[in-house]
Amino acid sequence: MYEERPSRLTGAVVWTNTPPTNPGPLPMSPMSPVLPDGCMDLLWSEGRLLVAGPDTRAHVPDGPPVPWAGIRLHPGTAPALLGVPAHELRDRRVELADLWPAPEVRRLNARVAASPQPTAALETLALERAAPPDPVLRRLVAALAAGRPVAATADELGIGARQLHRRSLTAFGYGPKTLARILRLQRALALARSGVPYADTAARAGYADQAHLARDVREFTGRTLGELLR
C-alpha cells in the first residue's frame, strides 16, 4: 500500500510503500513503475539509505516487493542537500554511502533504524540539511508546471539560454525543455486520472493533439496512457 503526506520541508512529500502482508494465492503482480516527475528522493529500505536521482524514463523496481520509506524533494532542491549535481545521478539509484563519508552514513543508518517511524527520521534529516530554496529555480518550476514556454520563462527570469541550461543540469539533472516536458506529462496524467477524456487531456495539458500526448507518454514511461491508468 502506498501512502503519502505533505512534509514539514517546503514542497516535499513523505511517503511509504508497504507490500501487502497477505497477497493471496495468486502471484503478486509487479510493482508499479516510478514515473519521471522532476523530483529526487531520499530513500530507506532494508536498513539502507539510498538516493533516487531524477528520472527521464520509468523506473521499475526489481526483486521481490519490500517496504520502502522516502521523502520526495521538490524539483531543484535535492542537489544542495546532497552536495551532488543532479545530472550525476540522472536515472540512477545509489547508496547514500557513495555520496557521503561512510562513518556519517553509518550513524544516520542507525538513527533511522532506531526510529519507530523511518519517515519521520528521514524528514528530520532532510530538514537539518536542506538549504534555503533558490527563488529563481522555484519560479522556474512554478512557471513550467503551469505550462509557460521555456523561452518566455527565461526572459521573465532574466536568464540567458546557456546559463539556464547549466543551472538546470545542476538542479534538475537535465535541461529546462526536458523538465517542461516531464511536468507537462504529470499535468496530463493528473487530468486523465481524474476522468478527463484523452483528447481533452491533451489540449488542456498543452499537447498539440492526442497523438502528441501518446508519443510523450510512450517515450517517458514505455507504456500507453491506458496501461498506466489501469
Side-chain angles (χ1 to χ4, degrees):
M1 177 184 295
Y2 177 84
E3 296 180 316
E4 66 176 40
R5 64 169 174 81
S7 171
R8 290 178 289 141
L9 180 62
T10 302
V13 173
V14 173
W15 58 270
T16 57
N17 195 1
T18 307
T21 55
N22 183 17
L26 296 176
M28 194 176 295
S29 60
M31 294 184 69
S32 299
V34 180
L35 304 182
D37 59 6
C39 301
M40 295 172 60
D41 292 59
L42 181 62
L43 308 170
W44 169 260
S45 183
E46 299 187 299
R48 300 181 300 154
L49 284 165
L50 305 99
V51 173
D55 291 322
T56 61
R57 56 181 181 270
H59 171 78
V60 180
D62 55 8
V66 296
W68 287 87
I71 179 166
R72 182 175 305 115
L73 302 164
H74 190 269
T77 61
L81 186 152
L82 297 170
V84 179
H87 63 81
E88 293 187 8
L89 301 174
R90 183 173 53 235
D91 293 318
R92 298 177 62 199
R93 269 63 179 163
V94 301
E95 302 272 354
L96 186 61
D98 292 338
L99 309 178
W100 290 359
E104 182 177 8
V105 175
R106 284 196 296 269
R107 178 179 62 81
L108 294 172
N109 271 332
R111 177 174 156 186
V112 178
S115 173
Q117 293 185 319
T119 50
L122 288 174
E123 186 175 26
T124 299
L125 192 164
L127 282 164
E128 290 172 351
R129 294 171 179 268
D134 183 325
V136 172
L137 294 178
R138 293 295 288 244
R139 289 173 60 193
L140 173 65
V141 173
L144 298 183
R148 292 284 294 154
V150 171
T153 300
D155 288 342
E156 292 166 2
L157 296 175
I159 301 177
R162 290 185 180 180
Q163 182 187 3
L164 179 60
H165 190 79
R166 287 195 301 269
R167 292 183 67 170
S168 294
L169 284 178
T170 299
F172 310 116
Y174 30 66
K177 291 184 179 180
T178 299
L179 175 64
R181 292 179 64 203
I182 286 172
L183 296 177
R184 182 177 60 185
L185 172 69
Q186 288 296 325
R187 289 198 305 276
L189 291 174
L191 289 167
R193 286 168 179 153
S194 70
V196 177
Y198 291 178
D200 292 342
T201 289
R204 289 171 58 180
Y207 291 91
D209 51 30
Q210 186 174 333
H212 184 197
L213 166 63
R215 289 193 299 272
D216 254 29
V217 170
R218 174 67 73 176
E219 179 179 342
F220 282 117
T221 74
R223 303 187 181 197
T224 67
L225 186 54
E227 289 170 339
L228 289 176
L229 297 183
R230 287 194 296 271

